[in-house]
Each structure stands twice: as C-alpha cells, then as structure tokens.
C-alpha cells in the first residue's frame, strides 16, 4: 500500500470543457509497462474506451427521452 497521492492536473481544472482522466497502468509496474508499449494492447484499450463512451452517450439519450415524458 503506497497510499493515495494527489497532484494538480490542469486537464481536470479547466472549467471550459469536460475532461476525463483515464489511468491505464503504472510505469512502476513491469507488467503494466509491457502492456503500454504493445501497439495491439493500446489499440484494444482505445477501442474499449471509445465503446464505453458510445454506450454512455446512448444511455444519456435514453434517459433524456424518459425525462421528457
């Protein structure tokens, strides 16, 4: 247990646009580093993030329809 570490991240403090911080691994982990340098793994991760965002968008659309009724 290394404890919780915090830092000021500009991407999360800009109120002009929504932002998301996605942590894909730790550089201190050899296993994570191996994944992060693998182009196939990165592509799979990118598609998974895209699919999750599209699913979220669809869920929002459904909820908006329910709220209007």
């Amino acid at each position: 247990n290394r404890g919780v570490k915090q830092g000021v991240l500009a991407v999360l403090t800009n109120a002009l646009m929504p932002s998301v911080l996605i942590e894909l691994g730790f550089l201190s982990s050899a296993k994570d580093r191996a994944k992060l340098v693998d182009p196939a793994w990165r592509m799979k991760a990118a598609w998974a993030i895209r699919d999750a965002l599209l699913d979220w968008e669809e869920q929002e659309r459904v909820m908006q329809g329910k709220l209007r009724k």
Side-chain angles (χ1 to χ4, degrees), residues 8-9 15 20 29 31 37-39 42-44 53 55 68:
V8 178
L9 302 170
V20 175
S29 163
K31 185 177 177 181
V37 299
D38 177 8
R42 289 196 315 262
M43 183 62 70
K44 186 176 177 181
L53 289 169
D55 288 346
R68 290 185 187 137

Side-chain angles (χ1 to χ4, degrees), residues 3-14 21 23:
V4 176
K5 296 180 182 178
Q6 297 180 352
V8 178
L9 302 170
V11 68
L12 299 178
T13 61
N14 185 346
L21 178 64
E23 188 173 278

Side-chain angles (χ1 to χ4, degrees), residues 23-44:
E23 188 173 278
L24 296 175
F26 295 98
L27 295 179
S28 59
S29 163
K31 185 177 177 181
D32 288 354
R33 275 195 318 275
K35 289 179 182 178
L36 292 168
V37 299
D38 177 8
W41 185 90
R42 289 196 315 262
M43 183 62 70
K44 186 176 177 181

